[in-house]
Amino acid sequence: MMARITMDDVDALARGCAVLGTGGGGDVRTAAIAARRAISAYGEVPLVSLEELDPDALVLPLSGIGAPTVSHEMIAAAEEPVLIRDEVERVFGRPPAAVMSSEIGGANGVAPVAWAARLGLPLLDADAMGRAFPEVQMVSMNVAGIPPTPVVMADAVGNVVTIRPIDGVWSERMARAVCVAAGSSALMADYILTAGELARGAIRGTVRRAIAIGRATQGARDPLAALIAELGAARLITGKLTELERRTTGGFARGTVVIEGTGEDRGRRLTVEIQNENLVAIENDRVRAIVPDLITIVDTLTASAIQTENLRYGQRVTVIAWPCDPLWRTPEGLKIAGPRAFGYDLDHLPVETIAP
Amino acid sequence: MMARITMDDVDALARGCAVLGTGGGGDVRTAAIAARRAISAYGEVPLVSLEELDPDALVLPLSGIGAPTVSHEMIAAAEEPVLIRDEVERVFGRPPAAVMSSEIGGANGVAPVAWAARLGLPLLDADAMGRAFPEVQMVSMNVAGIPPTPVVMADAVGNVVTIRPIDGVWSERMARAVCVAAGSSALMADYILTAGELARGAIRGTVRRAIAIGRATQGARDPLAALIAELGAARLITGKLTELERRTTGGFARGTVVIEGTGEDRGRRLTVEIQNENLVAIENDRVRAIVPDLITIVDTLTASAIQTENLRYGQRVTVIAWPCDPLWRTPEGLKIAGPRAFGYDLDHLPVETIAP
């Protein structure tokens, strides 16, 4: 059993988190640098399971919020976690006992190592998505019917905002407005719950899983095959990135990317639609994979995931897809983060039934 | 001595507040209706001075924030004051003992009667502007160097937001963003202080003064002369409103109005520039009055103040101007709410030296 997150774990974690989410919360490599620096300054971070915490212990789910193309530049100023910790202590009357990733996918899966190190707290081996989603109400606690309130935010200049929204959608609306006013980047804590309350709201084991995904490709002879095996993923297409359209609107990075098949996939053409994350993969008007299942574009040679903002014309890529956590396929899960939550008039079809 | 605000006082207060501010926080008549309803439901509101409160008693300065053209429609949903009171009790560990107007000018001078009645609290005979200003950092506590933190906001659907800004300008920026997200209208408490702390930060006696201004014109044979005498104001021009340009941008109502003289003022032409409030009056490129001194456009016949949103082509009006509270003429006061704080490259010139 791994009791602490070491420098070496950070690299594997960053690789794994990049596979689990390609949009949200800043650049994964920048987050990894911040995590390594924080470990160097404050020591390795204990990794604990929910069962190892006292049921009354307060857990602090943290995530960066903002358009990735902006927060790329601004991640991990040192004092935001401290400001949030202090405000939580004021609001709840006691300090948090552990930090948790709100989303394991992307930079938000890696940066909590830095935030936990800065606060001298352990990191919980769990998150609230099992992947990445672009909106703050798309979390497992919301699926479990737990209200997000209060939401605590801090920005780089030192402003602290506490929101008591009436529901998850207002939480997103208010948090996004504060984020934009703060220069489109802020650190956020929501669903601040006890370990006991989190037992019915967290997705467990996802930090260890992200590290395992990262390790699977390190030093493998065929990294792509190793990654696909580790994830139990379907390969949707291998080819070349031939069309790319991106824009930042309403605090989100949106876009469309087209991959044209090469080699055994020659003559095929796959379109992926993006809102921070890859949401749907379509071939010949047929859905090949769709949110909340995971779709990731990886470098065909190295199997490294390519973040939305790093997509470029001409890249040699493979698109893979695999099942989300079963929680997201429940009726409530699909209501919160299924195709219709993103404006698609489409039902969710499990990737394992349509991708091959 | 008047110990309670009665139904009859509300009418005079509304007339007086309309003279003291023509933009901010919604429609004065709507606020007066809300105040009368609340008195009817919850009883008359005790009016207390700072000295009558225990020095440790918490005072709750309340104001509506939003573009007047929007909040006109939305003022005074019943539960916002209760949501703010509850949050203040959570944050400070004790409930407020009195309500205070953040700005005595406009609807924000009248609505606190409704809010105090709803909460069963007395109203403090003081405010933080002695008039109305369009931005939340333009308050006497800011001039006194007191930080605004925390700022507590509530909206009509029930969301509650607490902001701990690093300074007054960030307070305005964050509060404005939350306000816009809430549909451009919210109730706000800032500078929540004890009566003892407020002793160096509040402008005293302004509720009674607003009532006196309102009473001066009620039943007067020459209301305009009575108003001018009560205020010690200068008459800048009497004439007809001939040009009017208004727009709502960035949460503010901005515009320009031109009055052409009639009668003894025939041949003269006065331009008034507006950001919620009337900021500067110019005649032949010469400043006749400028913020923070007060400039109000009144109906020539009745001496009723005309709110920015009710200005219309063809109205027969008189523009009057008079000195602001001495606080606003100090270097710190001018820095916060002088001409340059509104983007004018002009020095403040006391109205009594330039208007006649």
Side-chain angles (χ1 to χ4, degrees):
Chain A
M1 192 195 122
M2 173 178 49
R4 291 177 174 272
I5 296 180
T6 65
M7 290 281 183
D8 185 56
D9 293 324
V10 169
D11 292 330
L13 178 65
R15 281 182 71 82
C17 291
V19 169
L20 292 168
T22 54
D27 181 69
V28 174
R29 287 162 307 180
T30 311
I33 292 168
R36 281 194 294 266
R37 274 199 200 142
I39 287 176
S40 168
Y42 303 103
E44 293 177 356
V45 173
L47 185 67
V48 298
S49 68
L50 264 180
E51 290 64 31
E52 292 174 76
L53 291 174
D54 185 284
D56 288 330
L58 216 51
V59 177
L60 189 66
L62 288 173
S63 57
I65 169 173
T69 44
V70 173
S71 55
H72 193 157
E73 312 296 323
M74 295 174 70
I75 202 170
E79 291 313 297
E80 290 98 317
V82 178
L83 292 169
I84 288 184
R85 192 261 324 270
D86 291 351
E87 178 72 0
V88 165
E89 191 164 349
R90 268 193 296 266
V91 171
F92 287 85
R94 64 193 202 277
V99 166
M100 171 177 145
S101 301
S102 289
E103 64 179 345
I104 194 66
N108 272 328
V110 183
V113 174
W115 301 327
R118 177 66 186 88
L119 296 177
L121 292 176
L123 182 66
L124 185 65
D125 185 15
D127 84 311
M129 297 185 181
R131 48 164 294 165
F133 282 121
E135 302 190 17
V136 303
Q137 79 277 16
M138 296 171 171
V139 287
S140 52
M141 290 80 103
N142 194 12
V143 179
I146 300 171
T149 189
V151 178
V152 181
M153 298 174 69
D155 67 19
V157 302
N159 298 297
V160 179
V161 177
T162 300
I163 306 169
R164 295 183 186 274
I166 55 167
D167 60 27
V169 173
W170 275 101
S171 176
E172 164 67 26
R173 184 170 174 176
M174 290 291 185
R176 193 69 52 184
V178 170
C179 169
V180 169
S184 281
S185 182
L187 184 63
M188 179 174 74
D190 59 358
Y191 297 95
I192 303 157
L193 301 166
T194 66
E197 291 166 330
L198 265 179
R200 69 185 183 96
I203 301 178
R204 299 164 192 232
T206 49
V207 176
R208 276 190 172 79
R209 175 158 161 75
I211 292 173
I213 293 167
R215 290 219 190 287
T217 58
Q218 285 175 324
R221 200 170 301 175
D222 182 344
L224 183 59
L227 179 63
I228 287 173
E230 173 70 28
L231 294 169
R235 189 179 62 75
L236 300 188
I237 197 167
T238 293
K240 187 176 141 184
L241 202 161
T242 57
E243 287 178 41
L244 175 61
E245 186 260 307
R246 267 177 314 196
R247 60 200 182 281
T248 299
T249 58
F252 298 109
R254 297 175 200 266
T256 305
V257 59
V258 175
I259 293 98
E260 290 188 6
T262 53
E264 64 180 282
D265 291 332
R266 185 169 306 273
R268 293 177 47 208
R269 180 187 159 92
L270 188 79
T271 300
V272 179
E273 294 195 12
I274 300 169
Q275 180 188 334
N276 287 17
E277 303 305 318
N278 304 313
L279 296 184
V280 55
I282 294 170
E283 183 175 358
N284 293 333
D285 293 331
R286 195 171 72 84
V287 170
R288 302 271 327 272
I290 190 164
V291 68
D293 287 335
L294 292 92
I295 302 166
T296 294
I297 303 172
V298 304
D299 180 289
T300 300
L301 198 63
T302 64
S304 295
I306 304 175
Q307 290 189 273
T308 300
E309 65 183 283
N310 294 329
L311 292 169
R312 298 284 181 275
Y313 174 84
Q315 284 169 334
R316 302 291 170 157
V317 301
T318 293
V319 183
I320 58 176
W322 67 100
C324 61
D325 189 275
L327 178 92
W328 295 115
R329 293 180 171 185
T330 63
E332 195 55 31
L334 287 170
K335 196 175 137 198
I336 288 167
R340 288 175 213 284
F342 292 95
Y344 294 108
D345 189 21
L346 294 168
D347 290 322
H348 176 255
L349 297 168
V351 60
E352 61 273 25
T353 69
I354 56 170
Chain B
M1 193 196 122
M2 173 179 50
R4 290 177 175 273
I5 296 179
T6 65
M7 290 282 183
D8 184 55
D9 294 323
V10 169
D11 292 330
L13 178 65
R15 280 181 70 83
C17 291
V19 169
L20 291 168
T22 54
D27 181 69
V28 175
R29 289 162 305 181
T30 311
I33 293 168
R36 281 194 292 267
R37 276 199 198 142
I39 287 176
S40 168
Y42 303 104
E44 293 175 357
V45 173
L47 186 67
V48 298
S49 68
L50 263 181
E51 289 64 30
E52 293 174 76
L53 291 174
D54 186 285
D56 287 332
L58 216 51
V59 177
L60 190 65
L62 288 174
S63 57
I65 170 175
T69 44
V70 172
S71 53
H72 195 159
E73 312 295 324
M74 295 174 71
I75 200 171
E79 290 313 297
E80 291 97 320
V82 178
L83 293 169
I84 287 184
R85 193 259 326 268
D86 291 352
E87 179 72 0
V88 165
E89 191 165 349
R90 268 193 297 266
V91 171
F92 287 85
R94 64 194 203 275
V99 166
M100 171 176 147
S101 301
S102 290
E103 64 179 345
I104 194 66
N108 272 328
V110 183
V113 174
W115 301 326
R118 176 68 186 86
L119 296 176
L121 293 176
L123 182 66
L124 184 64
D125 185 14
D127 83 311
M129 297 184 183
R131 48 164 294 166
F133 281 122
E135 301 190 17
V136 304
Q137 80 276 16
M138 295 170 169
V139 288
S140 51
M141 291 80 103
N142 194 12
V143 179
I146 301 171
T149 188
V151 178
V152 182
M153 300 175 68
D155 68 18
V157 303
N159 298 298
V160 179
V161 177
T162 300
I163 306 169
R164 295 183 186 274
I166 55 167
D167 60 27
V169 173
W170 275 102
S171 177
E172 164 67 26
R173 185 171 175 176
M174 290 291 184
R176 192 70 50 185
V178 169
C179 169
V180 170
S184 281
S185 182
L187 183 63
M188 179 174 74
D190 58 358
Y191 297 95
I192 303 157
L193 302 166
T194 65
E197 290 166 329
L198 265 179
R200 69 185 183 96
I203 301 177
R204 298 165 192 230
T206 49
V207 176
R208 275 188 172 83
R209 173 157 164 77
I211 293 173
I213 293 167
R215 289 221 191 285
T217 57
Q218 284 174 326
R221 200 170 299 176
D222 183 344
L224 183 58
L227 180 64
I228 286 174
E230 172 71 28
L231 294 169
R235 189 179 61 76
L236 300 188
I237 198 167
T238 294
K240 186 174 142 185
L241 203 160
T242 57
E243 287 178 40
L244 175 61
E245 186 260 307
R246 268 177 313 198
R247 59 201 182 280
T248 298
T249 58
F252 298 108
R254 297 174 200 265
T256 305
V257 59
V258 174
I259 293 100
E260 291 188 6
T262 53
E264 64 180 282
D265 291 334
R266 185 169 305 275
R268 293 177 48 209
R269 179 187 159 93
L270 188 80
T271 300
V272 179
E273 295 196 12
I274 300 168
Q275 180 187 333
N276 287 18
E277 304 305 319
N278 304 313
L279 296 184
V280 56
I282 295 171
E283 182 175 359
N284 294 333
D285 294 331
R286 194 170 73 85
V287 170
R288 303 270 328 269
I290 190 164
V291 69
D293 287 334
L294 292 91
I295 302 166
T296 294
I297 303 172
V298 304
D299 181 288
T300 299
L301 198 64
T302 64
S304 295
I306 304 176
Q307 290 190 273
T308 299
E309 64 184 284
N310 295 329
L311 292 169
R312 299 283 181 273
Y313 175 85
Q315 283 170 333
R316 303 289 169 159
V317 300
T318 293
V319 183
I320 58 176
W322 67 101
C324 62
D325 189 274
L327 179 91
W328 295 115
R329 292 181 173 186
T330 63
E332 195 54 31
L334 287 170
K335 195 175 139 197
I336 289 167
R340 288 175 213 284
F342 292 95
Y344 294 107
D345 190 20
L346 294 168
D347 290 322
H348 175 256
L349 296 169
V351 61
E352 61 274 25
T353 68
I354 55 170

